[in-house]
Amino acid sequence: MATVLEKIATHVVSRRQFSEHAATLAQQAIVDTIGCMIAGVTDPAPRSVAAAFSKDIGSNGASALLTGGRASPSVAALVNGTAAHCLDFDDNFHPARAHASAVLVPALLAIASADSAISGTQLIRAYLAGLEAQAAVGSGVNPSHYNKGWHGTSTVGCIGAAAGVAVLLGLDDPSVAQAMSIAVSLASGPKGQFGTSVKPLHAGIAARNAVEAACLARAGMTGRLDILERGQGFLDLFGGAEATGWDALCLNETHIIETRGLVTKLHPCCASTHRIIDAALDLQKEHGFSLDEVQRIETKVGRSAVDNLAYPDPADEMQARFSMPYCLAVALSQGRLSLADFTLEAIFRPDIRRHMPKVTMCAYSAEKERGVDRIAHQVTITLVDGRALWRERLHARGSLEDPIAEA
């Protein structure tokens, strides 16, 4: 009987044709992620990574770095992956509870930029293979894996991306399964690092580990192919009491990028804030109030979102990305959030700080969330004139359910 990894590997290797829509969505995700990498190259996080490995970076390395120079595929994936995630502007992928593209794209580009024979079509196929593998792995352990405090980007993302890199390298089914098995032993990353530069480093580490796992599999390294489902395996150690495993795993003919989709982020901050921001902006557009007219703002979100947003009084720009009071106050003050709002100078603006105490946040009960794949986030805005405005959102703008325009 085939193991879970063998089923995933057979499926992603055998799938050689994709719909035009799936290919377009993949292309958009790759372009969006490269944009995030370019925007992030001057951030201290990727600069620190590049400095740490400066002796391995030069003009003759195999793979290109967005920070400049060339290096081994491993170092390139590490630096570029950190750059992709450092602004928290990269996409989200709910089935994996991960920033899927921030791991996949840097890992794949580390291989593709070292081999001019690799085509754009091959890159898209590998991306879609890695995305599907992330979704399949995540389906067995989430949401309890994520709720326990594991950063899905660096755990599930690493394992799934290893499949994508292995496909790009042209490996066969058994070797793709082995790449994922090896990646399970490299997967780690606690969400307790959110609000620090180690958080984007998680994406870089996962991208590097995905590259190395695939290369090790190509060289003949082997691990247990039942490492997801067996005792002392991924589910047992990382899954949590509510994880379901993969007995109901279904790998559909229609690709997951079409049925579930990625969420293109419109706000450069933690996705746990986005549905509240969008709902609040919806109310502001409908009722025309200013932030000065607001008496208080009460938000209700999932338990994991409360855990993620640990900085009600952020002390630096990274913490501000994980602060519901800051992000919501900025959004309602100026109608949007931009990269300019996440600088050390910007986060201490008095006209923003004076409104932040108006924002409170609470979580649904564990019982209310049990067995629910996705729970709506709610906001109640009470105005000084006594009106109480309420709105909830199940999906953020930029999702498949609420897509953004091409512009």
Side-chain angles (χ1 to χ4, degrees):
M1 183 176 178
T3 66
V4 176
L5 288 181
E6 288 174 311
K7 291 176 182 177
I8 297 171
T10 297
H11 179 75
V12 299
V13 172
S14 64
R15 189 198 279 275
R16 294 186 174 276
Q17 299 295 324
F18 301 93
S19 72
E20 184 178 347
H21 186 221
T24 297
L25 291 174
Q27 183 180 12
Q28 290 172 343
I30 293 168
V31 170
D32 181 66
T33 307
I34 293 172
C36 291
M37 290 162 62
I38 292 170
V41 292
T42 59
D43 187 85
R47 289 292 176 184
S48 294
V49 178
F53 295 93
S54 59
K55 291 184 179 179
D56 300 312
I57 300 170
S59 58
N60 298 318
S63 303
L65 278 70
L66 267 293
T67 51
R70 303 183 72 87
S72 68
S74 295
V75 172
L78 177 65
V79 175
N80 290 342
T82 305
H85 193 41
C86 65
L87 303 178
D88 232 293
F89 218 169
D90 49 299
D91 62 36
N92 285 95
F93 185 50
H94 188 68
R97 299 297 199 280
H99 292 265
S101 300
V103 180
L104 259 173
V105 174
L108 296 175
L109 289 180
I111 300 300
S113 65
D115 185 354
S116 60
I118 292 177
S119 68
T121 300
Q122 289 173 297
L123 185 70
I124 287 173
R125 180 191 172 219
Y127 175 88
L128 289 169
L131 192 69
E132 197 160 33
Q134 285 194 38
V137 173
S139 69
V141 294
N142 282 316
S144 61
H145 171 72
Y146 189 81
N147 289 340
K148 276 173 65 69
W150 291 108
H151 188 193
T153 301
S154 51
T155 54
V156 174
C158 170
I159 302 166
V165 175
V167 167
L168 190 62
L169 290 172
L171 304 189
D172 59 13
D173 304 21
S175 296
V176 172
Q178 289 294 348
M180 286 189 286
S181 176
I182 295 165
V184 171
S185 290
L186 305 176
S188 186
K191 290 199 295 172
Q193 295 283 17
F194 282 16
T196 76
S197 59
V198 174
K199 199 253 190 179
L201 179 64
H202 284 175
I205 291 171
R208 179 198 65 190
N209 288 346
V211 168
E212 294 185 349
C215 291
L216 285 165
R218 181 175 60 177
M221 179 69 71
T222 59
R224 292 194 65 125
L225 293 177
D226 62 351
I227 196 60
L228 290 185
E229 66 268 36
R230 76 179 306 272
Q232 296 187 313
F234 191 65
L235 178 65
D236 190 13
L237 299 176
F238 287 70
E242 298 174 25
T244 59
W246 294 272
D247 289 344
L249 177 64
C250 182
L251 298 164
N252 297 318
E253 182 177 342
T254 303
H255 195 277
I256 193 90
I257 201 171
E258 297 182 83
T259 59
R260 295 294 298 277
L262 295 152
V263 182
T264 303
K265 294 177 77 171
L266 295 184
H267 317 300
C269 52
C270 179
S272 295
T273 67
H274 284 212
R275 285 181 277 163
I276 293 293
I277 291 170
D278 291 341
L281 289 176
D282 289 344
L283 288 172
Q284 188 177 54
K285 183 177 180 180
E286 181 179 343
H287 297 278
F289 59 86
S290 71
L291 193 50
D292 285 324
E293 297 173 276
V294 173
Q295 184 178 70
R296 65 180 180 272
I297 304 174
E298 300 161 282
T299 67
K300 190 172 186 178
V301 298
R303 289 172 295 151
S304 63
V306 170
D307 292 337
N308 293 346
L309 303 173
Y311 301 97
D313 185 24
D316 59 41
E317 57 267 48
M318 188 62 79
Q319 291 183 8
R321 294 184 175 101
F322 297 86
S323 173
M324 181 70 85
Y326 178 76
C327 292
L328 194 50
V330 172
L332 288 174
S333 175
Q334 57 194 36
R336 64 190 293 268
L337 286 146
S338 73
L339 291 174
D341 296 309
F342 295 94
T343 65
L344 197 57
E345 181 181 9
I347 68 166
F348 288 108
R349 287 171 289 179
D351 59 324
I352 297 298
R353 286 278 168 167
R354 67 186 177 89
H355 292 293
M356 287 167 55
K358 297 177 180 179
V359 181
T360 61
M361 181 172 57
C362 68
Y364 287 93
S365 67
E367 183 60 34
K368 186 72 174 178
E369 286 197 59
R370 187 168 289 115
V372 178
D373 180 59
R374 190 166 186 80
I375 198 160
H377 286 187
Q378 302 177 352
V379 62
T380 302
I381 300 176
T382 302
L383 304 180
V384 292
D385 64 9
R387 286 181 293 163
L389 312 175
W390 178 90
R391 185 66 57 91
E392 71 173 10
R393 263 187 173 267
L394 186 60
H395 301 283
R397 289 192 62 210
S399 64
L400 194 68
E401 294 78 7
D402 188 4
I404 56 176
E406 180 66 23

